[in-house]
Amino acid sequence: MKILLPVGHSILKSGACTSADGRPFGGVLEYSYNKEIVKATAEYLRKAGHMAEVLICPELQFTKSSEERAYKLSRANSSGYDLIAELHLNASKYHNARGCEVLYICENGRRIAENIEGQLSRVFPSRKTLYRNDLYMLTQTKPTALIIESFFCDNSSDCSLAAKTDVALLIAQGIHGKTIQAPVPADPKGILYRVQIGAFSVKSNAQQLRDRLKALGYDAFITTADLGTVFYRVQVGAYRQRENAEAMQKKLAALGFSSFLAT
């Protein structure tokens, strides 16, 4: 398939972001998070044999959010795409809702939406798929279109799960319809695989996990990722061979630590 992956929302000339902001509630900025993962999502899809392109609105150019519509629709309807899958995060009035949701408008979209929802609901509570006929990225696009609400950006529990999960891979596998085994392509001379055991918005929590791992004899360390909110990631190792990183994962799993590979 030829797939377009737009990132919902933009940053206006004023510097204001048009997306939901979960940071005051222990979450993340919707736009920043999706901008962070969209390239990895595209790379996974390319590795699976698809043509995948990313669409991000130009920053500090629009004066109002309504200008996003014309910019995105002109691209979405002019390049022969088979699927449009726009990345979003949800938010709720009282900042207490959780879970993943995928919006669709046509039958083919419903099928793919269910695949994506099935992948995301391996980690996040499922809110099922939802038919919508009031959103321009669904009603005014010629290709099959979806809106992916991966989790709630203003729910700290959802955001903590997201920080420990390769959400880009889950979305790509849902679109592809099958497991994608390969990591995101990178420079073979420079890629390093790190085993990530946890990620925390509170630095002291990351320090406690790091110290626990060090006490068990593992050379654990902390890195940071700015996804609108800074997350402190606890990792072990830096391996050039994926198999070595996977061997470390097995050792940690035997001690009760869940993990995934980060690059």
Side-chain angles (χ1 to χ4, degrees):
M1 287 192 294
K2 186 176 182 181
I3 302 162
L4 182 66
L5 299 170
V7 171
H9 305 290
S10 67
I11 297 178
L12 304 178
K13 279 184 179 179
S14 64
C17 184
T18 65
S19 79
D21 189 352
R23 292 175 295 181
F25 315 100
V28 299
L29 181 65
E30 175 189 6
Y31 172 76
S32 294
Y33 179 86
N34 287 318
K35 183 181 173 184
E36 179 80 14
I37 70 165
V38 69
K39 291 182 181 179
T41 306
E43 290 293 346
Y44 280 126
L45 287 167
R46 291 172 193 141
K47 192 66 177 181
H50 302 281
M51 294 177 63
E53 299 176 7
V54 170
L55 177 60
I56 299 174
C57 287
E59 296 182 352
L60 303 174
Q61 179 173 317
F62 301 153
T63 57
K64 51 188 177 181
S65 61
S66 58
E67 294 175 63
E68 298 168 10
R69 176 188 302 209
Y71 180 83
K72 289 189 288 187
L73 288 176
S74 64
R75 173 78 175 273
N77 289 327
S78 64
S79 299
Y81 295 105
D82 301 300
L83 177 68
I84 311 293
E86 184 165 88
L87 304 190
H88 283 263
L89 299 180
N90 229 329
S92 64
K93 182 177 181 180
Y94 298 109
H95 317 295
N96 59 355
R98 296 190 60 194
C100 54
E101 187 173 68
V102 184
L103 315 180
Y104 69 93
I105 193 168
C106 67
E107 181 60 24
N108 186 50
R110 182 189 64 79
R111 178 183 59 80
I112 302 172
E114 288 176 349
N115 288 343
I116 299 169
E117 178 77 11
Q119 287 290 319
L120 290 170
S121 63
R122 292 166 53 190
V123 176
F124 306 102
S126 176
R127 296 172 64 88
K128 306 299 182 183
T129 57
L130 182 64
Y131 172 85
R132 292 285 295 269
N133 62 2
D134 58 339
L135 300 169
Y136 70 83
M137 283 303 287
L138 299 180
T139 61
Q140 297 181 36
T141 47
K142 296 176 183 177
T144 297
L146 305 170
I147 292 177
I148 303 169
E149 304 272 10
S150 301
F151 57 91
F152 277 76
C153 71
D154 58 349
N155 184 285
S156 58
S157 296
D158 268 11
C159 292
S160 293
L161 287 173
K164 297 182 284 187
T165 302
D166 192 344
V167 176
L169 178 60
L170 295 180
I171 293 171
Q173 289 183 154
I175 293 172
H176 180 54
K178 298 178 182 178
T179 299
I180 300 173
Q181 298 287 355
V184 176
D187 178 1
K189 295 181 179 179
I191 187 170
L192 293 174
Y193 298 97
R194 297 178 173 86
V195 181
Q196 183 162 314
I197 302 93
F200 306 88
S201 58
V202 178
K203 187 175 183 178
S204 60
N205 292 340
Q207 291 171 331
Q208 289 176 15
L209 178 57
R210 178 201 60 193
D211 294 346
R212 182 181 171 195
L213 289 162
K214 282 182 172 291
L216 292 170
Y218 293 96
D219 187 17
F221 54 91
I222 295 173
T223 64
T224 59
D226 189 347
L227 305 178
T229 291
V230 174
F231 282 93
Y232 299 91
R233 305 179 297 186
V234 181
Q235 300 178 336
V236 170
Y239 304 94
R240 293 196 180 279
Q241 298 298 319
R242 183 183 177 92
E243 302 81 49
N244 295 337
E246 290 173 340
M248 177 57 73
Q249 277 189 293
K250 291 179 181 178
K251 290 180 182 179
L252 291 167
L255 295 173
F257 295 102
S258 61
S259 64
F260 70 90
L261 297 188
T263 56

